[in-house]
Amino acid sequence: MPSTIRLDPKAVLPLHAELYLLAHDDDTGALLLNQQSLAVGLAGALLLELSLKEYVAVGYTYDEFRLEWQEQPGRLTVVRPGPAGSAPLDAALDAVERIAREHRSGDQLRAWLRSFATADLYERVRGGLVAVGLLQRAERRRLGGLLKTKTHLPVHHGYPIRARAHIRDAVSYHAQRGRVRYTAPDDECVALCGLVAALELAEFLYDGMDTRDLTQWLWHVVTKHENPSVTAVVQAVDAGRGDLAVAAMQ
């Protein structure tokens, strides 16, 4: 059934919202990967939003004596306090502050992902997207209408379609450089490319390119962008998803 809600051409969706949409079937609302894996990806997306909004520095610590920022892989440093603009971001920022206090040494980034990507993160993010009007509750009928199941669908199919288009443009910027002029992708688009690659969602972009090749191009986009914070979080999400796979086999 066509949507009765008009697509807002000026709407800029948060990174975690675009990732959520791309991880679900547009028509049925079915999840396209393991829910726990998506929770790790959503946690990474929220952390990247905090980083891009300059609430959190990823991979850096501030030297109070020298009054300068110093690179320190795995470190999370709160740059400024909240509120950060939304309930999911505020919760993520609170969790960063706890990790910074309780884990003075070690990889704070990996520790934060493990603690924040809890079993209920998926439901909390979905509830938030319903509350802001991006998702709507729906009912699916199967087996000739005998079986009814509840699901959540985007209020307009144009939102996930537009997210896929941004990813295709980012890939084309590098793959067709010199032949076709594309605008360089921004930090958020690069982050989305990396998260899609880490969660192995490339096959659902409906790009026409071989899935393996497309995934490699998505990683290429991240590497060439040279934003160490984006790279660090995407790699941590990739590693976190690998940890889940190992745990499932034990």
Side-chain angles (χ1 to χ4, degrees):
M1 180 181 296
S3 173
T4 58
I5 299 177
R6 296 182 63 184
L7 176 69
D8 183 356
K10 297 181 180 179
V12 178
L13 301 186
L15 178 59
H16 74 276
E18 290 194 318
L19 181 63
Y20 180 98
L21 294 177
L22 295 182
H24 292 78
D25 185 275
D26 293 356
D27 297 318
T28 67
L31 190 58
L32 301 175
L33 76 166
N34 178 275
Q35 182 174 311
Q36 197 170 2
S37 293
L38 180 55
V40 175
L42 291 171
L46 289 166
L47 182 58
L48 280 169
E49 287 180 50
L50 290 174
S51 174
L52 297 177
K53 292 174 181 290
E54 298 184 344
Y55 283 96
V56 174
V58 178
Y60 288 88
T61 184
Y62 189 72
D63 189 318
E64 297 286 353
F65 179 74
R66 297 183 178 180
L67 301 179
E68 65 181 16
W69 287 96
Q70 296 182 345
E71 188 173 358
Q72 188 173 339
R75 186 79 172 186
L76 297 179
T77 303
V78 176
V79 178
R80 58 191 175 109
S86 71
L89 287 178
D90 288 342
L93 184 56
D94 289 343
V96 171
E97 291 174 341
R98 286 196 300 272
I99 286 292
R101 289 194 307 266
E102 299 169 4
H103 292 74
R104 295 289 183 177
S105 60
D107 193 330
Q108 294 177 333
L109 172 54
R110 294 283 295 275
W112 183 88
L113 276 178
R114 286 194 299 270
S115 64
F116 192 69
T118 54
D120 68 335
L121 178 60
Y122 173 80
E123 286 82 4
R124 285 190 285 128
V125 167
R126 183 179 63 192
L129 296 181
V130 171
V132 300
L134 184 59
L135 290 179
Q136 58 187 347
R137 296 180 178 88
E139 197 175 73
R140 291 178 56 202
R141 294 176 179 269
R142 295 185 296 168
L143 300 177
L146 296 177
L147 183 62
K148 298 179 182 179
T149 57
K150 294 181 179 180
T151 188
H152 293 77
L153 299 174
V155 296
H156 198 292
H157 288 327
Y159 289 117
I161 290 173
R162 191 165 61 184
R164 294 189 190 97
H166 291 160
I167 292 175
R168 283 196 295 271
D169 287 347
V171 170
S172 297
Y173 173 78
H174 292 281
Q176 301 183 30
R177 201 164 187 175
R179 289 178 289 168
V180 182
R181 179 172 295 182
Y182 286 90
T183 302
D186 60 16
D187 290 332
E188 184 167 323
C189 182
V190 171
L192 183 61
C193 289
L195 292 171
V196 166
L199 297 179
E200 298 182 1
L201 290 170
E203 65 177 295
F204 303 108
L205 294 177
Y206 314 116
D207 180 84
M209 185 184 295
D210 176 77
T211 298
R212 183 175 180 180
D213 291 342
L214 179 55
T215 301
Q216 291 177 342
W217 274 113
L218 293 174
W219 284 116
H220 180 80
V221 170
V222 175
T223 302
K224 288 297 184 181
H225 193 64
E226 297 183 344
N227 183 317
S229 297
V230 171
T231 301
V233 175
V234 168
Q235 289 177 343
V237 168
D238 187 40
R241 189 163 184 258
D243 292 341
L244 291 176
V246 172
M249 292 186 292
Q250 293 177 346

PDB file of all heavy atoms in Angstrom, residues 113-147:
ATOM      1  N   LEU A 113      31.200  -0.622  23.746  1.00  0.00           N
ATOM      2  CA  LEU A 113      30.322  -1.324  22.806  1.00  0.00           C
ATOM      3  C   LEU A 113      29.699  -2.553  23.462  1.00  0.00           C
ATOM      4  O   LEU A 113      28.501  -2.812  23.308  1.00  0.00           O
ATOM      5  CB  LEU A 113      31.101  -1.744  21.558  1.00  0.00           C
ATOM      6  CG  LEU A 113      31.281  -0.705  20.449  1.00  0.00           C
ATOM      7  CD1 LEU A 113      32.124  -1.283  19.322  1.00  0.00           C
ATOM      8  CD2 LEU A 113      29.931  -0.232  19.912  1.00  0.00           C
ATOM      9  N   ARG A 114      30.512  -3.312  24.186  1.00  0.00           N
ATOM     10  CA  ARG A 114      29.989  -4.523  24.832  1.00  0.00           C
ATOM     11  C   ARG A 114      28.920  -4.189  25.864  1.00  0.00           C
ATOM     12  O   ARG A 114      27.911  -4.886  25.973  1.00  0.00           O
ATOM     13  CB  ARG A 114      31.130  -5.300  25.500  1.00  0.00           C
ATOM     14  CG  ARG A 114      32.043  -6.030  24.550  1.00  0.00           C
ATOM     15  CD  ARG A 114      32.922  -7.030  25.297  1.00  0.00           C
ATOM     16  NE  ARG A 114      33.777  -6.367  26.284  1.00  0.00           N
ATOM     17  CZ  ARG A 114      35.001  -5.918  26.023  1.00  0.00           C
ATOM     18  NH1 ARG A 114      35.512  -6.050  24.803  1.00  0.00           N
ATOM     19  NH2 ARG A 114      35.720  -5.327  26.963  1.00  0.00           N
ATOM     20  N   SER A 115      29.126  -3.118  26.607  1.00  0.00           N
ATOM     21  CA  SER A 115      28.185  -2.789  27.675  1.00  0.00           C
ATOM     22  C   SER A 115      26.930  -2.089  27.165  1.00  0.00           C
ATOM     23  O   SER A 115      25.838  -2.285  27.705  1.00  0.00           O
ATOM     24  CB  SER A 115      28.877  -1.908  28.725  1.00  0.00           C
ATOM     25  OG  SER A 115      29.251  -0.657  28.164  1.00  0.00           O
ATOM     26  N   PHE A 116      27.079  -1.275  26.120  1.00  0.00           N
ATOM     27  CA  PHE A 116      25.929  -0.489  25.656  1.00  0.00           C
ATOM     28  C   PHE A 116      25.039  -1.259  24.688  1.00  0.00           C
ATOM     29  O   PHE A 116      23.834  -1.006  24.618  1.00  0.00           O
ATOM     30  CB  PHE A 116      26.408   0.809  25.010  1.00  0.00           C
ATOM     31  CG  PHE A 116      25.295   1.791  24.765  1.00  0.00           C
ATOM     32  CD1 PHE A 116      24.668   2.414  25.840  1.00  0.00           C
ATOM     33  CD2 PHE A 116      24.888   2.102  23.484  1.00  0.00           C
ATOM     34  CE1 PHE A 116      23.633   3.317  25.626  1.00  0.00           C
ATOM     35  CE2 PHE A 116      23.862   3.003  23.261  1.00  0.00           C
ATOM     36  CZ  PHE A 116      23.225   3.620  24.338  1.00  0.00           C
ATOM     37  N   ALA A 117      25.638  -2.176  23.930  1.00  0.00           N
ATOM     38  CA  ALA A 117      24.857  -2.956  22.956  1.00  0.00           C
ATOM     39  C   ALA A 117      24.130  -4.088  23.673  1.00  0.00           C
ATOM     40  O   ALA A 117      24.320  -5.265  23.379  1.00  0.00           O
ATOM     41  CB  ALA A 117      25.764  -3.493  21.853  1.00  0.00           C
ATOM     42  N   THR A 118      23.289  -3.725  24.637  1.00  0.00           N
ATOM     43  CA  THR A 118      22.566  -4.702  25.433  1.00  0.00           C
ATOM     44  C   THR A 118      21.373  -5.254  24.653  1.00  0.00           C
ATOM     45  O   THR A 118      21.036  -4.770  23.569  1.00  0.00           O
ATOM     46  CB  THR A 118      22.073  -4.068  26.741  1.00  0.00           C
ATOM     47  OG1 THR A 118      21.318  -2.881  26.422  1.00  0.00           O
ATOM     48  CG2 THR A 118      23.251  -3.674  27.615  1.00  0.00           C
ATOM     49  N   ALA A 119      20.731  -6.232  25.260  1.00  0.00           N
ATOM     50  CA  ALA A 119      19.628  -6.906  24.579  1.00  0.00           C
ATOM     51  C   ALA A 119      18.467  -5.975  24.254  1.00  0.00           C
ATOM     52  O   ALA A 119      17.746  -6.185  23.277  1.00  0.00           O
ATOM     53  CB  ALA A 119      19.135  -8.075  25.440  1.00  0.00           C
ATOM     54  N   ASP A 120      18.287  -4.914  25.068  1.00  0.00           N
ATOM     55  CA  ASP A 120      17.133  -4.048  24.844  1.00  0.00           C
ATOM     56  C   ASP A 120      17.455  -2.812  23.999  1.00  0.00           C
ATOM     57  O   ASP A 120      16.573  -1.990  23.765  1.00  0.00           O
ATOM     58  CB  ASP A 120      16.529  -3.617  26.179  1.00  0.00           C
ATOM     59  CG  ASP A 120      17.455  -2.684  26.961  1.00  0.00           C
ATOM     60  OD1 ASP A 120      18.683  -2.740  26.732  1.00  0.00           O
ATOM     61  OD2 ASP A 120      16.940  -1.908  27.786  1.00  0.00           O
ATOM     62  N   LEU A 121      18.694  -2.655  23.554  1.00  0.00           N
ATOM     63  CA  LEU A 121      19.046  -1.473  22.767  1.00  0.00           C
ATOM     64  C   LEU A 121      18.232  -1.411  21.484  1.00  0.00           C
ATOM     65  O   LEU A 121      17.746  -0.347  21.091  1.00  0.00           O
ATOM     66  CB  LEU A 121      20.544  -1.456  22.445  1.00  0.00           C
ATOM     67  CG  LEU A 121      21.003  -0.275  21.573  1.00  0.00           C
ATOM     68  CD1 LEU A 121      20.713   1.055  22.268  1.00  0.00           C
ATOM     69  CD2 LEU A 121      22.491  -0.386  21.237  1.00  0.00           C
ATOM     70  N   TYR A 122      18.074  -2.542  20.837  1.00  0.00           N
ATOM     71  CA  TYR A 122      17.308  -2.594  19.588  1.00  0.00           C
ATOM     72  C   TYR A 122      15.890  -2.075  19.806  1.00  0.00           C
ATOM     73  O   TYR A 122      15.397  -1.230  19.051  1.00  0.00           O
ATOM     74  CB  TYR A 122      17.287  -4.027  19.059  1.00  0.00           C
ATOM     75  CG  TYR A 122      16.394  -4.239  17.870  1.00  0.00           C
ATOM     76  CD1 TYR A 122      16.808  -3.892  16.590  1.00  0.00           C
ATOM     77  CD2 TYR A 122      15.123  -4.798  18.022  1.00  0.00           C
ATOM     78  CE1 TYR A 122      15.987  -4.093  15.486  1.00  0.00           C
ATOM     79  CE2 TYR A 122      14.295  -4.997  16.933  1.00  0.00           C
ATOM     80  CZ  TYR A 122      14.723  -4.646  15.671  1.00  0.00           C
ATOM     81  OH  TYR A 122      13.903  -4.832  14.583  1.00  0.00           O
ATOM     82  N   GLU A 123      15.222  -2.573  20.855  1.00  0.00           N
ATOM     83  CA  GLU A 123      13.858  -2.147  21.128  1.00  0.00           C
ATOM     84  C   GLU A 123      13.790  -0.666  21.492  1.00  0.00           C
ATOM     85  O   GLU A 123      12.857   0.046  21.115  1.00  0.00           O
ATOM     86  CB  GLU A 123      13.244  -2.985  22.258  1.00  0.00           C
ATOM     87  CG  GLU A 123      12.859  -4.394  21.869  1.00  0.00           C
ATOM     88  CD  GLU A 123      14.037  -5.353  21.886  1.00  0.00           C
ATOM     89  OE1 GLU A 123      15.151  -4.918  22.285  1.00  0.00           O
ATOM     90  OE2 GLU A 123      13.848  -6.527  21.507  1.00  0.00           O
ATOM     91  N   ARG A 124      14.801  -0.186  22.239  1.00  0.00           N
ATOM     92  CA  ARG A 124      14.809   1.226  22.630  1.00  0.00           C
ATOM     93  C   ARG A 124      14.978   2.134  21.413  1.00  0.00           C
ATOM     94  O   ARG A 124      14.323   3.179  21.311  1.00  0.00           O
ATOM     95  CB  ARG A 124      15.912   1.477  23.657  1.00  0.00           C
ATOM     96  CG  ARG A 124      15.572   0.943  25.042  1.00  0.00           C
ATOM     97  CD  ARG A 124      16.561   1.410  26.078  1.00  0.00           C
ATOM     98  NE  ARG A 124      17.838   0.715  25.987  1.00  0.00           N
ATOM     99  CZ  ARG A 124      19.012   1.299  25.907  1.00  0.00           C
ATOM    100  NH1 ARG A 124      19.107   2.610  25.869  1.00  0.00           N
ATOM    101  NH2 ARG A 124      20.127   0.585  25.853  1.00  0.00           N
ATOM    102  N   VAL A 125      15.853   1.744  20.501  1.00  0.00           N
ATOM    103  CA  VAL A 125      16.046   2.539  19.280  1.00  0.00           C
ATOM    104  C   VAL A 125      14.773   2.508  18.441  1.00  0.00           C
ATOM    105  O   VAL A 125      14.321   3.552  17.944  1.00  0.00           O
ATOM    106  CB  VAL A 125      17.249   2.013  18.469  1.00  0.00           C
ATOM    107  CG1 VAL A 125      17.262   2.626  17.068  1.00  0.00           C
ATOM    108  CG2 VAL A 125      18.545   2.328  19.194  1.00  0.00           C
ATOM    109  N   ARG A 126      14.195   1.337  18.291  1.00  0.00           N
ATOM    110  CA  ARG A 126      12.957   1.234  17.505  1.00  0.00           C
ATOM    111  C   ARG A 126      11.851   2.084  18.130  1.00  0.00           C
ATOM    112  O   ARG A 126      11.136   2.798  17.422  1.00  0.00           O
ATOM    113  CB  ARG A 126      12.503  -0.225  17.429  1.00  0.00           C
ATOM    114  CG  ARG A 126      11.257  -0.439  16.560  1.00  0.00           C
ATOM    115  CD  ARG A 126      10.870  -1.899  16.507  1.00  0.00           C
ATOM    116  NE  ARG A 126      10.502  -2.397  17.830  1.00  0.00           N
ATOM    117  CZ  ARG A 126      10.335  -3.688  18.119  1.00  0.00           C
ATOM    118  NH1 ARG A 126      10.530  -4.596  17.191  1.00  0.00           N
ATOM    119  NH2 ARG A 126       9.983  -4.045  19.344  1.00  0.00           N
ATOM    120  N   GLY A 127      11.719   2.033  19.460  1.00  0.00           N
ATOM    121  CA  GLY A 127      10.716   2.847  20.126  1.00  0.00           C
ATOM    122  C   GLY A 127      10.942   4.333  19.914  1.00  0.00           C
ATOM    123  O   GLY A 127       9.993   5.103  19.736  1.00  0.00           O
ATOM    124  N   GLY A 128      12.211   4.733  19.917  1.00  0.00           N
ATOM    125  CA  GLY A 128      12.528   6.132  19.671  1.00  0.00           C
ATOM    126  C   GLY A 128      12.150   6.574  18.267  1.00  0.00           C
ATOM    127  O   GLY A 128      11.653   7.681  18.064  1.00  0.00           O
ATOM    128  N   LEU A 129      12.355   5.694  17.284  1.00  0.00           N
ATOM    129  CA  LEU A 129      12.021   6.030  15.895  1.00  0.00           C
ATOM    130  C   LEU A 129      10.517   6.081  15.694  1.00  0.00           C
ATOM    131  O   LEU A 129      10.026   6.855  14.860  1.00  0.00           O
ATOM    132  CB  LEU A 129      12.654   5.009  14.947  1.00  0.00           C
ATOM    133  CG  LEU A 129      14.189   4.972  14.946  1.00  0.00           C
ATOM    134  CD1 LEU A 129      14.702   3.939  13.954  1.00  0.00           C
ATOM    135  CD2 LEU A 129      14.765   6.349  14.635  1.00  0.00           C
ATOM    136  N   VAL A 130       9.785   5.270  16.443  1.00  0.00           N
ATOM    137  CA  VAL A 130       8.324   5.359  16.406  1.00  0.00           C
ATOM    138  C   VAL A 130       7.875   6.680  17.018  1.00  0.00           C
ATOM    139  O   VAL A 130       6.999   7.368  16.487  1.00  0.00           O
ATOM    140  CB  VAL A 130       7.676   4.169  17.161  1.00  0.00           C
ATOM    141  CG1 VAL A 130       6.171   4.381  17.307  1.00  0.00           C
ATOM    142  CG2 VAL A 130       7.942   2.857  16.429  1.00  0.00           C
ATOM    143  N   ALA A 131       8.493   7.054  18.133  1.00  0.00           N
ATOM    144  CA  ALA A 131       8.100   8.262  18.849  1.00  0.00           C
ATOM    145  C   ALA A 131       8.298   9.525  18.014  1.00  0.00           C
ATOM    146  O   ALA A 131       7.497  10.465  18.100  1.00  0.00           O
ATOM    147  CB  ALA A 131       8.887   8.372  20.156  1.00  0.00           C
ATOM    148  N   VAL A 132       9.365   9.554  17.195  1.00  0.00           N
ATOM    149  CA  VAL A 132       9.621  10.752  16.383  1.00  0.00           C
ATOM    150  C   VAL A 132       8.910  10.710  15.036  1.00  0.00           C
ATOM    151  O   VAL A 132       9.019  11.643  14.243  1.00  0.00           O
ATOM    152  CB  VAL A 132      11.141  10.962  16.152  1.00  0.00           C
ATOM    153  CG1 VAL A 132      11.854  11.141  17.475  1.00  0.00           C
ATOM    154  CG2 VAL A 132      11.751   9.800  15.371  1.00  0.00           C
ATOM    155  N   GLY A 133       8.174   9.621  14.779  1.00  0.00           N
ATOM    156  CA  GLY A 133       7.371   9.556  13.566  1.00  0.00           C
ATOM    157  C   GLY A 133       8.072   9.018  12.341  1.00  0.00           C
ATOM    158  O   GLY A 133       7.574   9.196  11.214  1.00  0.00           O
ATOM    159  N   LEU A 134       9.198   8.348  12.523  1.00  0.00           N
ATOM    160  CA  LEU A 134       9.901   7.776  11.376  1.00  0.00           C
ATOM    161  C   LEU A 134       9.421   6.360  11.066  1.00  0.00           C
ATOM    162  O   LEU A 134       9.402   5.941   9.910  1.00  0.00           O
ATOM    163  CB  LEU A 134      11.412   7.761  11.633  1.00  0.00           C
ATOM    164  CG  LEU A 134      12.295   7.276  10.484  1.00  0.00           C
ATOM    165  CD1 LEU A 134      12.086   8.133   9.241  1.00  0.00           C
ATOM    166  CD2 LEU A 134      13.763   7.291  10.887  1.00  0.00           C
ATOM    167  N   LEU A 135       9.039   5.627  12.105  1.00  0.00           N
ATOM    168  CA  LEU A 135       8.478   4.286  11.947  1.00  0.00           C
ATOM    169  C   LEU A 135       7.016   4.292  12.367  1.00  0.00           C
ATOM    170  O   LEU A 135       6.603   5.083  13.214  1.00  0.00           O
ATOM    171  CB  LEU A 135       9.230   3.271  12.816  1.00  0.00           C
ATOM    172  CG  LEU A 135      10.659   2.899  12.451  1.00  0.00           C
ATOM    173  CD1 LEU A 135      11.197   1.897  13.471  1.00  0.00           C
ATOM    174  CD2 LEU A 135      10.759   2.329  11.047  1.00  0.00           C
ATOM    175  N   GLN A 136       6.257   3.392  11.776  1.00  0.00           N
ATOM    176  CA  GLN A 136       4.863   3.224  12.169  1.00  0.00           C
ATOM    177  C   GLN A 136       4.584   1.739  12.390  1.00  0.00           C
ATOM    178  O   GLN A 136       5.133   0.876  11.713  1.00  0.00           O
ATOM    179  CB  GLN A 136       3.926   3.777  11.092  1.00  0.00           C
ATOM    180  CG  GLN A 136       4.098   3.141   9.717  1.00  0.00           C
ATOM    181  CD  GLN A 136       3.284   3.835   8.659  1.00  0.00           C
ATOM    182  OE1 GLN A 136       2.402   4.645   8.966  1.00  0.00           O
ATOM    183  NE2 GLN A 136       3.548   3.542   7.388  1.00  0.00           N
ATOM    184  N   ARG A 137       3.753   1.459  13.369  1.00  0.00           N
ATOM    185  CA  ARG A 137       3.358   0.077  13.642  1.00  0.00           C
ATOM    186  C   ARG A 137       2.411  -0.393  12.554  1.00  0.00           C
ATOM    187  O   ARG A 137       1.557   0.355  12.080  1.00  0.00           O
ATOM    188  CB  ARG A 137       2.696  -0.029  15.017  1.00  0.00           C
ATOM    189  CG  ARG A 137       3.636   0.312  16.169  1.00  0.00           C
ATOM    190  CD  ARG A 137       2.936   0.194  17.510  1.00  0.00           C
ATOM    191  NE  ARG A 137       3.839   0.470  18.613  1.00  0.00           N
ATOM    192  CZ  ARG A 137       4.072   1.672  19.104  1.00  0.00           C
ATOM    193  NH1 ARG A 137       3.451   2.733  18.575  1.00  0.00           N
ATOM    194  NH2 ARG A 137       4.899   1.837  20.114  1.00  0.00           N
ATOM    195  N   ALA A 138       2.583  -1.643  12.139  1.00  0.00           N
ATOM    196  CA  ALA A 138       1.753  -2.198  11.081  1.00  0.00           C
ATOM    197  C   ALA A 138       1.458  -3.659  11.393  1.00  0.00           C
ATOM    198  O   ALA A 138       2.036  -4.263  12.297  1.00  0.00           O
ATOM    199  CB  ALA A 138       2.456  -2.065   9.725  1.00  0.00           C
ATOM    200  N   GLU A 139       0.549  -4.220  10.630  1.00  0.00           N
ATOM    201  CA  GLU A 139       0.150  -5.613  10.807  1.00  0.00           C
ATOM    202  C   GLU A 139       0.269  -6.342   9.485  1.00  0.00           C
ATOM    203  O   GLU A 139      -0.222  -5.873   8.456  1.00  0.00           O
ATOM    204  CB  GLU A 139      -1.289  -5.673  11.318  1.00  0.00           C
ATOM    205  CG  GLU A 139      -1.677  -7.007  11.926  1.00  0.00           C
ATOM    206  CD  GLU A 139      -3.068  -6.976  12.538  1.00  0.00           C
ATOM    207  OE1 GLU A 139      -4.048  -6.956  11.754  1.00  0.00           O
ATOM    208  OE2 GLU A 139      -3.169  -6.956  13.775  1.00  0.00           O
ATOM    209  N   ARG A 140       0.964  -7.459   9.509  1.00  0.00           N
ATOM    210  CA  ARG A 140       1.123  -8.272   8.301  1.00  0.00           C
ATOM    211  C   ARG A 140       0.170  -9.459   8.362  1.00  0.00           C
ATOM    212  O   ARG A 140      -0.050 -10.051   9.417  1.00  0.00           O
ATOM    213  CB  ARG A 140       2.552  -8.799   8.186  1.00  0.00           C
ATOM    214  CG  ARG A 140       3.599  -7.748   7.898  1.00  0.00           C
ATOM    215  CD  ARG A 140       4.967  -8.390   7.846  1.00  0.00           C
ATOM    216  NE  ARG A 140       5.038  -9.468   6.874  1.00  0.00           N
ATOM    217  CZ  ARG A 140       5.926 -10.456   6.884  1.00  0.00           C
ATOM    218  NH1 ARG A 140       6.830 -10.511   7.859  1.00  0.00           N
ATOM    219  NH2 ARG A 140       5.916 -11.378   5.952  1.00  0.00           N
ATOM    220  N   ARG A 141      -0.388  -9.794   7.216  1.00  0.00           N
ATOM    221  CA  ARG A 141      -1.276 -10.956   7.120  1.00  0.00           C
ATOM    222  C   ARG A 141      -0.616 -12.008   6.235  1.00  0.00           C
ATOM    223  O   ARG A 141      -0.153 -11.703   5.142  1.00  0.00           O
ATOM    224  CB  ARG A 141      -2.632 -10.563   6.532  1.00  0.00           C
ATOM    225  CG  ARG A 141      -3.438  -9.632   7.428  1.00  0.00           C
ATOM    226  CD  ARG A 141      -4.723  -9.202   6.750  1.00  0.00           C
ATOM    227  NE  ARG A 141      -5.518  -8.322   7.592  1.00  0.00           N
ATOM    228  CZ  ARG A 141      -6.449  -8.740   8.438  1.00  0.00           C
ATOM    229  NH1 ARG A 141      -6.723 -10.042   8.524  1.00  0.00           N
ATOM    230  NH2 ARG A 141      -7.133  -7.881   9.169  1.00  0.00           N
ATOM    231  N   ARG A 142      -0.572 -13.224   6.743  1.00  0.00           N
ATOM    232  CA  ARG A 142       0.015 -14.321   5.987  1.00  0.00           C
ATOM    233  C   ARG A 142      -0.944 -15.503   5.965  1.00  0.00           C
ATOM    234  O   ARG A 142      -1.927 -15.547   6.701  1.00  0.00           O
ATOM    235  CB  ARG A 142       1.354 -14.741   6.598  1.00  0.00           C
ATOM    236  CG  ARG A 142       2.429 -13.660   6.515  1.00  0.00           C
ATOM    237  CD  ARG A 142       3.753 -14.162   7.029  1.00  0.00           C
ATOM    238  NE  ARG A 142       3.691 -14.483   8.446  1.00  0.00           N
ATOM    239  CZ  ARG A 142       4.641 -15.166   9.103  1.00  0.00           C
ATOM    240  NH1 ARG A 142       5.698 -15.611   8.442  1.00  0.00           N
ATOM    241  NH2 ARG A 142       4.527 -15.413  10.384  1.00  0.00           N
ATOM    242  N   LEU A 143      -0.641 -16.460   5.100  1.00  0.00           N
ATOM    243  CA  LEU A 143      -1.471 -17.662   4.960  1.00  0.00           C
ATOM    244  C   LEU A 143      -2.924 -17.297   4.695  1.00  0.00           C
ATOM    245  O   LEU A 143      -3.856 -17.775   5.347  1.00  0.00           O
ATOM    246  CB  LEU A 143      -1.367 -18.541   6.212  1.00  0.00           C
ATOM    247  CG  LEU A 143       0.041 -19.056   6.561  1.00  0.00           C
ATOM    248  CD1 LEU A 143       0.005 -19.854   7.847  1.00  0.00           C
ATOM    249  CD2 LEU A 143       0.594 -19.885   5.426  1.00  0.00           C
ATOM    250  N   GLY A 144      -3.109 -16.437   3.685  1.00  0.00           N
ATOM    251  CA  GLY A 144      -4.454 -16.053   3.308  1.00  0.00           C
ATOM    252  C   GLY A 144      -5.185 -15.233   4.340  1.00  0.00           C
ATOM    253  O   GLY A 144      -6.423 -15.225   4.383  1.00  0.00           O
ATOM    254  N   GLY A 145      -4.432 -14.555   5.185  1.00  0.00           N
ATOM    255  CA  GLY A 145      -5.041 -13.713   6.207  1.00  0.00           C
ATOM    256  C   GLY A 145      -5.294 -14.414   7.521  1.00  0.00           C
ATOM    257  O   GLY A 145      -5.791 -13.803   8.470  1.00  0.00           O
ATOM    258  N   LEU A 146      -4.961 -15.707   7.592  1.00  0.00           N
ATOM    259  CA  LEU A 146      -5.210 -16.464   8.820  1.00  0.00           C
ATOM    260  C   LEU A 146      -4.229 -16.099   9.929  1.00  0.00           C
ATOM    261  O   LEU A 146      -4.574 -16.149  11.117  1.00  0.00           O
ATOM    262  CB  LEU A 146      -5.139 -17.966   8.533  1.00  0.00           C
ATOM    263  CG  LEU A 146      -6.198 -18.518   7.567  1.00  0.00           C
ATOM    264  CD1 LEU A 146      -5.951 -20.005   7.321  1.00  0.00           C
ATOM    265  CD2 LEU A 146      -7.597 -18.307   8.133  1.00  0.00           C
ATOM    266  N   LEU A 147      -3.023 -15.740   9.540  1.00  0.00           N
ATOM    267  CA  LEU A 147      -1.988 -15.432  10.521  1.00  0.00           C
ATOM    268  C   LEU A 147      -1.642 -13.952  10.461  1.00  0.00           C
ATOM    269  O   LEU A 147      -1.324 -13.429   9.396  1.00  0.00           O
ATOM    270  CB  LEU A 147      -0.743 -16.282  10.239  1.00  0.00           C
ATOM    271  CG  LEU A 147       0.417 -16.132  11.223  1.00  0.00           C
ATOM    272  CD1 LEU A 147      -0.016 -16.569  12.626  1.00  0.00           C
ATOM    273  CD2 LEU A 147       1.616 -16.947  10.768  1.00  0.00           C
TER     274      LEU A 147
END
